[in-house]
């Protein structure tokens, strides 16, 4: 007989409260969390990063990042990292106005998807004015429009074994030791289903510009800027990212940044 871990109990309680607040089916959420093999619980049990456990404990899974008023947007969105991917496949898509762009959704899903921009724009949209915090110490408030990742997951139907969404990008960055590396990122399914996690195609009322990740970039508002993969090519659902690239779940994570970058 093991005593319930108070930290975990708070997480589960918070999850139920948040799920109720979001109007999700209470029974289904309860069933999932009661199952010891549920990916969300396994994740909590195996998380080794104290920061991650503390932040998840202090913040309800469904808690929203602050949203701002249009008058809070005082400057354009400052671009950072890659601003002009040199990769030939990206340049060809851009030259064609992204008419041939397809977002692939595959891995541990029942229905792999290939979505063009028209299909993404036809889905339910969400617009949010949020603050982007870069680990380098600057912030920017901007308005983002896109399709909630949850709506895309509804279509793709993640398999029960799916624990992370991995985002593959078009840009390759130079790296002195390992050679050129493709930018990629990953989030867990709690953030993947979060209502403010969107695949953005609009910035401040216009199409997403190339420096900020055209035609599609991730917004995951409760984490730092480097999690918000630009130039999305593919979303792959996986049970573990240990075998991907450097094994730490992202381009910057492979260089030592924290995988969970909660703010
Ligand atoms: N594909 C890709 N995504 C990326 C980056 C990048 O270099 N390549 N930089 C990250 C970092 S560190 C930040 S702060 C934000 C910057 O987004 P912005 O250019 O819209 O300001 O994108 C993130 N996503
Ligand atoms: Mo950043």
């Amino acid at each position: 007989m093991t005593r319930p871990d108070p930290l975990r109990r708070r997480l589960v309680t918070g999850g139920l409260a948040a799920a109720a607040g979001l109007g999700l089916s209470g029974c289904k959420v309860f069933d999932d969390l009661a199952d010891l093999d549920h990916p969300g619980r396994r994740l909590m049990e195996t998380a080794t990063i104290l920061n991650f456990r503390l932040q998840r404990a202090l913040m309800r899974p469904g808690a929203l990042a602050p949203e701002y008023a249009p008058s809070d947007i005082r400057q354009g969105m400052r671009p950072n990292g890659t601003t002009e991917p040199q990769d030939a496949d990206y340049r060809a898509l851009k030259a064609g106005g992204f008419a041939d762009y397809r977002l692939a959704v595959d891995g541990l899903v029942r229905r792999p998807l290939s979505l063009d921009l028209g299909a993404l724009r036809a889905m339910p949209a969400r617009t949010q004015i949020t603050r982007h915090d870069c680990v380098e110490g600057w912030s920017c408030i901007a308005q983002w429009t896109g399709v909630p990742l949850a709506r895309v997951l509804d279509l793709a139907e993640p398999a029960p074994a799916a624990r992370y969404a991995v985002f593959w990008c078009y840009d390759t960055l130079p790296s002195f030791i390992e050679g050129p590396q493709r930018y990629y990122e990953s989030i867990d399914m709690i953030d993947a289903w979060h209502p403010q996690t969107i695949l953005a195609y609009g910035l401040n009322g216009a199409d997403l510009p190339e420096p900020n990740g055209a035609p599609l970039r991730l917004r995951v508002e409760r984490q730092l800027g480097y999690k918000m993969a630009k130039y999305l090519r593919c979303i792959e659902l996986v049970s573990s990212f240990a075998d991907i690239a450097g094994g730490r779940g992202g381009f910057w994570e492979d260089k030592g940044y924290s995988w969970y970058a909660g703010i």
Side-chain angles (χ1 to χ4, degrees), residues 46-155:
T46 54
T48 52
I49 306 166
L50 182 62
N51 173 38
F52 171 66
R53 287 197 59 159
L54 282 173
Q55 294 224 25
R56 276 278 188 260
L58 294 172
M59 188 188 266
R60 288 180 296 113
L64 297 180
E67 294 194 16
Y68 297 82
S71 57
D72 295 321
I73 305 171
R74 299 205 181 87
Q75 63 202 102
M77 182 67 195
R78 164 183 169 165
N80 198 43
T82 302
T83 52
E84 200 181 313
Q86 294 307 309
D87 308 69
D89 42 9
Y90 182 83
R91 299 273 31 117
L93 286 173
K94 163 88 190 187
F98 296 114
D100 294 330
Y101 174 82
R102 298 289 182 279
L103 172 75
V105 183
D106 56 26
L108 297 174
V109 295
R110 293 198 184 88
R111 294 177 43 187
L113 307 175
S114 173
L115 301 168
D116 64 19
L117 287 173
L120 289 160
R121 287 172 184 274
M123 294 176 70
R126 188 178 205 281
T127 292
Q128 57 203 29
I129 301 176
T130 52
R131 198 186 67 202
H132 177 105
D133 296 307
C134 175
V135 72
E136 292 164 3
W138 55 270
S139 300
C140 237
I141 292 176
Q143 183 195 68
W144 303 95
T145 300
V147 53
L149 177 58
R151 299 291 74 77
V152 175
L153 295 179
D154 285 342
L155 291 181

Side-chain angles (χ1 to χ4, degrees), residues 168-209:
W168 290 103
C169 306
Y170 274 101
D171 56 325
T172 309
L173 283 90
S175 170
F176 297 113
I177 302 162
E178 307 96 332
Q181 304 250 297
R182 207 170 267 289
Y183 203 95
Y184 78 104
E185 256 304 337
S186 61
I187 58 176
D188 64 18
M189 298 310 285
I190 292 175
D191 269 331
W193 288 107
H194 188 273
Q196 288 171 319
T197 298
I198 65 172
L199 305 176
Y201 45 72
L203 169 59
N204 292 338
D207 283 355
L208 185 65

Side-chain angles (χ1 to χ4, degrees), residues 55 59 65 131-133 220-225 228 260-263:
Q55 294 224 25
M59 188 188 266
R131 198 186 67 202
H132 177 105
D133 296 307
V220 47
E221 302 293 356
R222 300 183 305 175
Q223 297 204 49
L224 289 173
M228 317 223 192
Y260 188 69
I263 42 178

